[in-house]
Amino acid sequence: STALKQGHITPTELCQKCLSLIKKTKFLNAYITVPEEVALKQAEESEKRYKKGHSLGDLDGIPVAVKDSFSTSGIETTCASNMLKGYVPPYNATVVQKLLDKGAVLMGKTNLDEFAMGSGSTDGVFGPVKNPWSYSKQYRGKRKQKAHGENEDSNWLITGGSSGGSAAAVAAFTCFVALGSDTGGSTRNPAAHCGVVGFKPSYGLVSHHGLIPLVNSMDVPGILTRCANDAAIVLGMLAGHDPRDSTTIQDPVKPFTLPTLADVNKLCIGIPKEYLAPELSSEVRSFWSKAANLFESEGAKVIEVSLPHTSYSIICYHVLCTSEVASNMARFDGLEYGHRCDINVSTEAMYAATRREVFNDVVRGRI
């Protein structure tokens, strides 16, 4: 953003560099759709604003990517499923529109597990997403030491899921911000695998209007960036009430503001003792302690707390997940949009055959 404002690079040059990188890293399979003409047009419009001194802010001219489960006007949205092949939404998801309103340049729609059901980004119809770190010198060197004669093409790491395409896109420098969705870790998991920052906002802080639902009561648009400050900037732009999403916080008087370092000494941070499970690795436990110590050194109060019903949370998650998945998938019946089979014996037979033809084993299993 600073480079754009100071004229060291233009939005068009930046867009072209990212498009070039997308082509060079096509083997990662991070993107499903790349609307080059749309991206270049948006970059040109941004460039005109900069020349006139009318920048829209920190996101103006910044290349972004969006998980292919968010509706994008005029751009195919598939959820990595044959069910939605060819489906072009007539509107933008609220979070997508907010990014575009701030001048962001949409590089493309990213790959995922089919209908966001998975934790590896390996189960979409467009094939698995490959972790950019699979091709680092460090990893390749280790693999050569461990195993000789293996096929190089098979030596790749998963990105985690279900927002693996978005995480890989950020890690591979093909964009600077990417949107994922997070129900039970689908932004944070791939962020951890790919070495980027993944943030799930509190439910109701960011609108999920236009996000094709997995589990309505837990779905939240997630943010993927390369540093925490970038995630905070994007969150500040996305947060707020949306009249099209009744779950968003209805507080028009107090706009969302980012906390400052000075606010840390006003915090009381609880560490649930139930989360220090025996299975927790020593490395994770060490980083957890470092984070707690960092807060404490800045003046925050850190205390141990108890969440005694933690053991039931996984059960509750799976009950909610499977019941809402079954309900949400019912809309994909072959009648109104998406794939439709050729069987016309009866409505029920058409429903069943349509869904059998396009849903993979994971989706059918959850239903």
Side-chain angles (χ1 to χ4, degrees), residues 336-358:
E336 295 178 80
Y337 48 79
H339 176 78
R340 182 172 184 168
C341 73
D342 297 327
I343 294 174
N344 56 11
V345 177
S346 68
T347 304
E348 288 76 13
M350 187 272 291
Y351 282 174
T354 294
R355 292 153 72 82
R356 183 176 65 249
E357 286 176 8
V358 291

Side-chain angles (χ1 to χ4, degrees), residues 118-183:
S119 55
S121 291
T122 56
D123 294 320
V125 72
F126 298 100
V129 185
K130 298 178 181 180
N131 196 320
W133 290 100
S134 307
Y135 302 92
S136 67
K137 289 180 180 178
Q138 297 95 322
Y139 179 71
R140 288 295 184 187
K142 285 182 180 179
R143 291 302 302 172
K144 283 179 181 177
Q145 290 171 13
K146 287 184 178 179
H148 295 282
E150 285 187 9
N151 183 357
E152 281 291 307
D153 292 335
S154 66
N155 287 338
W156 53 269
L157 304 167
I158 65 165
T159 54
S162 62
S163 307
S166 290
V170 173
F173 287 85
T174 60
C175 65
F176 293 84
V177 177
L179 293 182
S181 62
D182 198 312
T183 306

Side-chain angles (χ1 to χ4, degrees), residues 59-103:
L59 271 185
D60 203 347
I62 299 297
V64 303
V66 175
K67 187 176 182 178
D68 204 28
S69 53
F70 288 93
S71 295
T72 43
S73 178
I75 301 173
E76 186 180 24
T77 299
T78 69
C79 280
S81 175
N82 279 325
M83 173 57 84
L84 290 179
K85 189 176 181 181
Y87 170 61
V88 179
Y91 68 97
N92 283 320
T94 297
V95 286
V96 174
Q97 190 60 54
K98 283 189 173 185
L99 290 177
L100 296 178
D101 289 344
K102 293 295 183 179

Side-chain angles (χ1 to χ4, degrees), residues 10-322:
T10 68
T12 303
E13 288 171 339
L14 186 57
C15 178
Q16 288 170 338
K17 282 180 181 289
C18 286
L19 287 172
S20 175
L21 268 177
I22 289 172
K23 290 173 183 173
K24 285 180 182 177
T25 59
K26 196 172 182 180
F27 57 88
L28 297 176
N29 206 23
Y31 289 85
I32 292 174
T33 305
V34 180
E36 286 191 37
E37 291 182 9
V38 173
L40 287 168
K41 185 178 179 182
Q42 290 171 349
E44 287 169 10
E45 290 170 354
S46 174
E47 195 165 326
K48 290 176 185 176
R49 289 191 293 271
Y50 275 107
K51 285 178 179 178
K52 293 178 181 177
H54 296 153
S55 166
L56 297 175
D58 289 336
L59 271 185
D60 203 347
I62 299 297
V64 303
V66 175
K67 187 176 182 178
D68 204 28
S69 53
F70 288 93
S71 295
T72 43
S73 178
I75 301 173
E76 186 180 24
T77 299
T78 69
C79 280
S81 175
N82 279 325
M83 173 57 84
L84 290 179
K85 189 176 181 181
Y87 170 61
V88 179
Y91 68 97
N92 283 320
T94 297
V95 286
V96 174
Q97 190 60 54
K98 283 189 173 185
L99 290 177
L100 296 178
D101 289 344
K102 293 295 183 179
V105 177
L106 180 60
M107 304 311 299
K109 306 295 292 292
T110 56
N111 204 350
L112 63 149
D113 288 302
E114 184 168 338
F115 282 104
M117 297 186 205
S119 55
S121 291
T122 56
D123 294 320
V125 72
F126 298 100
V129 185
K130 298 178 181 180
N131 196 320
W133 290 100
S134 307
Y135 302 92
S136 67
K137 289 180 180 178
Q138 297 95 322
Y139 179 71
R140 288 295 184 187
K142 285 182 180 179
R143 291 302 302 172
K144 283 179 181 177
Q145 290 171 13
K146 287 184 178 179
H148 295 282
E150 285 187 9
N151 183 357
E152 281 291 307
D153 292 335
S154 66
N155 287 338
W156 53 269
L157 304 167
I158 65 165
T159 54
S162 62
S163 307
S166 290
V170 173
F173 287 85
T174 60
C175 65
F176 293 84
V177 177
L179 293 182
S181 62
D182 198 312
T183 306
S186 287
T187 293
R188 295 159 290 167
N189 178 0
H193 277 274
C194 294
V196 298
V197 173
F199 186 74
K200 179 183 183 177
S202 299
Y203 190 88
L205 188 60
V206 177
S207 171
H208 57 236
H209 170 74
L211 169 60
I212 295 172
L214 174 65
V215 181
N216 303 62
S217 60
M218 288 185 278
D219 291 343
V220 174
I223 300 167
L224 292 130
T225 58
R226 282 197 287 276
C227 70
N229 283 344
D230 288 357
I233 289 168
V234 176
L235 177 61
M237 293 177 179
L238 298 184
H241 174 58
D242 181 5
R244 291 164 296 187
D245 181 359
S246 61
T247 69
T248 52
I249 298 167
Q250 299 193 27
D251 191 356
V253 180
K254 295 179 182 177
F256 176 76
T257 55
L258 295 171
T260 63
L261 197 61
D263 297 324
V264 173
N265 59 15
K266 301 173 186 175
L267 295 178
C268 180
I269 297 170
I271 297 185
K273 62 181 181 181
E274 288 82 6
Y275 288 6
L276 291 166
E279 298 83 6
L280 200 64
S281 75
S282 58
E283 187 181 15
V284 172
R285 192 184 290 262
S286 172
F287 276 112
W288 194 351
S289 297
K290 283 182 181 178
N293 292 338
L294 182 63
F295 276 113
E296 205 162 29
S297 67
E298 292 295 336
K301 186 179 179 182
V302 179
I303 61 171
E304 182 182 84
V305 296
S306 178
L307 297 174
H309 300 112
T310 295
S311 58
Y312 303 112
S313 63
I314 299 298
I315 300 169
C316 292
Y317 171 79
H318 283 292
V319 170
L320 275 173
C321 185
T322 51

